[in-house]
Amino acid sequence: MYHLAWMLLCVAVVLPSRAAAIAETFASAPTQRGWRTFGDALLFQWNATNENLAVTWDSSRSNSLFYRSLGNVLTKEDDFSFGFDLRLNDIAIGVDPDKQYTFQIAIGLCRFTSITNANFFRGASQSPTFGPRNLVEFNYFPAFQEFAPTIAQVIVSTNRQWFYNHDNLREMPPGDLFQVTMEFVQRRLTTTVKRNGQLYGQPQIIDLQSANTDFRVDTFALISYSDAQQSPPQYSGSILAHGVIDNVNLVIPNPPLIALRGANAGNSFRANFAAVTNWLYRLEMTRNFQEWSLVVEGSALTNGPFYLEDASASPDQAFYRVLANRP
């Protein structure tokens, strides 16, 4: 007897459109909807009374995230958007006397396996050892001496190429409500910021249409970065800020594997599903849930119906799974 056990990066339902929407109002505990913490969990506290999330950005701590998986891997070939409300309570830079320059608060998309790597440091620039990769991110840098306050957006590719727009030289005063929307459409990232309901500065644009590099992001996160390993070190900064996040909204492409079902036919087993081009699919089998073996893998030439088949399945009981991966 053959069973379809479980899937990675997929859902087994048919979604009605080409895009999936995620809306988070924090009206109830977000951990019930897949939100998790990495690093210092004390930096992120759900407020049941105010129905929002209290966030501390403390660069003296290790890299810490409050995050939710997208259930997908996005690249520059995808269209997607995300937005959120942000209200700062207080913000201070140079809290470390040895790192007196400015540092950023951050919210955005990342690749979970990249950002949780022990050698990932946001301030390390293009360092081949410590430099960050795979980011589509909103940042705010408070003013420092001759440096103006900066509302910024940045994309960091898989091979650590940086694309950024730092043209919105405006403060984000504590107490004001900021609504941020970031839309990536046809390889262009546009960031729009409103302050207390009014447009705040001009939209910022990063254009990757001619870029010869790409990114991979699979997670939305509120990020408190460590200020370690900054480059160059003589301009190192530090930050301590408190604020609240609310009304997170994401619109992303459907997962790469939907309408999954298994079918037995004599001595064969077939997994049928709707596939997406540019994804690699693997059918794996186990009998003990400890060791999985590859049966067959393949990529769809077009979006739509696809199957992977074990044409010589054993008559003994077996369990199968389908994994989707974006090369």
Side-chain angles (χ1 to χ4, degrees):
M1 181 178 297
Y2 319 119
H3 303 274
L4 194 59
W6 51 273
M7 300 72 67
L8 180 66
L9 285 178
C10 66
V11 295
V13 297
V14 179
L15 298 178
S17 67
R18 297 180 60 189
I22 299 173
E24 179 57 69
T25 64
F26 299 103
S28 58
T31 52
Q32 299 174 355
R33 292 175 299 283
W35 291 88
R36 300 289 183 267
T37 55
F38 171 85
D40 190 343
L42 295 178
L43 300 180
F44 313 98
Q45 300 291 326
W46 173 58
N47 189 314
T49 301
N50 295 333
E51 297 184 357
N52 56 29
L53 188 81
V55 181
T56 299
W57 289 271
D58 184 349
S59 64
S60 70
R61 312 288 183 93
S62 62
N63 289 337
S64 300
L65 318 174
F66 187 80
Y67 69 93
R68 175 169 173 165
S69 171
L70 303 179
N72 206 336
V73 180
L74 308 181
T75 75
K76 70 178 182 181
E77 303 304 325
D78 295 303
D79 292 348
F80 56 86
S81 67
F82 62 92
F84 52 88
D85 292 351
L86 166 64
R87 191 190 303 270
L88 292 171
N89 299 329
D90 56 73
I91 188 165
I93 61 170
V95 289
D96 182 338
D98 295 325
K99 300 172 182 177
Q100 295 187 0
Y101 279 74
T102 192
F103 202 70
Q104 73 268 46
I105 64 172
I107 302 166
L109 303 179
C110 58
R111 186 71 183 261
F112 190 72
T113 54
S114 296
I115 201 169
T116 56
N117 187 293
N119 285 337
F120 184 108
F121 292 97
R122 180 62 171 78
S125 188
Q126 293 181 304
S127 164
T129 302
F130 302 111
R133 61 176 74 195
N134 295 314
L135 296 173
V136 179
E137 193 173 79
F138 171 86
N139 298 132
Y140 173 59
F141 295 83
F144 175 76
Q145 293 182 356
E146 69 272 20
F147 296 96
T150 304
I151 297 173
Q153 59 171 0
V154 65
I155 295 174
V156 184
S157 72
T158 300
N159 62 348
R160 297 189 174 94
Q161 291 191 42
W162 288 65
F163 306 86
Y164 55 86
N165 186 315
H166 289 178
D167 293 340
N168 199 358
L169 304 179
R170 294 172 179 260
E171 289 187 85
M172 298 185 74
D176 286 349
L177 176 64
F178 293 91
Q179 297 165 306
V180 178
T181 302
M182 303 183 73
E183 298 178 296
F184 190 84
V185 179
Q186 296 182 354
R187 299 187 178 185
R188 288 165 59 94
L189 177 64
T190 302
T191 299
T192 304
V193 179
K194 291 183 178 181
R195 178 186 181 188
N196 299 324
Q198 301 297 316
L199 184 64
Y200 195 51
Q202 296 302 309
Q204 299 165 266
I205 295 175
I206 296 175
D207 193 334
L208 294 188
Q209 294 194 21
S210 60
N212 60 356
T213 189
D214 206 348
F215 56 81
R216 298 287 188 273
V217 291
D218 58 16
T219 302
F220 176 81
L222 316 176
I223 311 167
S224 175
Y225 282 120
S226 165
D227 57 30
Q229 298 294 338
Q230 291 181 68
S231 178
Q234 63 268 30
Y235 297 114
S236 293
S238 54
I239 198 165
L240 177 62
H242 300 87
V244 294
I245 297 290
D246 205 351
N247 298 318
V248 174
N249 292 282
L250 299 102
V251 179
I252 59 176
N254 276 338
L257 195 162
I258 60 177
L260 178 63
R261 61 191 185 278
N264 298 322
N267 290 330
S268 68
F269 174 84
R270 179 178 292 187
N272 300 281
F273 51 91
V276 179
T277 57
N278 298 319
W279 283 80
L280 178 65
Y281 297 94
R282 295 167 54 96
L283 178 66
E284 297 184 351
M285 185 270 290
T286 187
R287 290 188 173 84
N288 56 17
F289 291 97
Q290 301 297 318
E291 299 176 351
W292 291 86
S293 59
L294 173 65
V295 177
V296 64
E297 63 182 4
S299 299
L301 298 178
T302 59
N303 296 338
F306 192 69
Y307 71 87
L308 297 173
E309 183 176 19
D310 185 354
S312 57
S314 167
D316 298 331
Q317 178 168 281
F319 298 87
Y320 291 87
R321 68 182 181 186
V322 178
L323 288 83
N325 184 45
R326 199 158 197 173

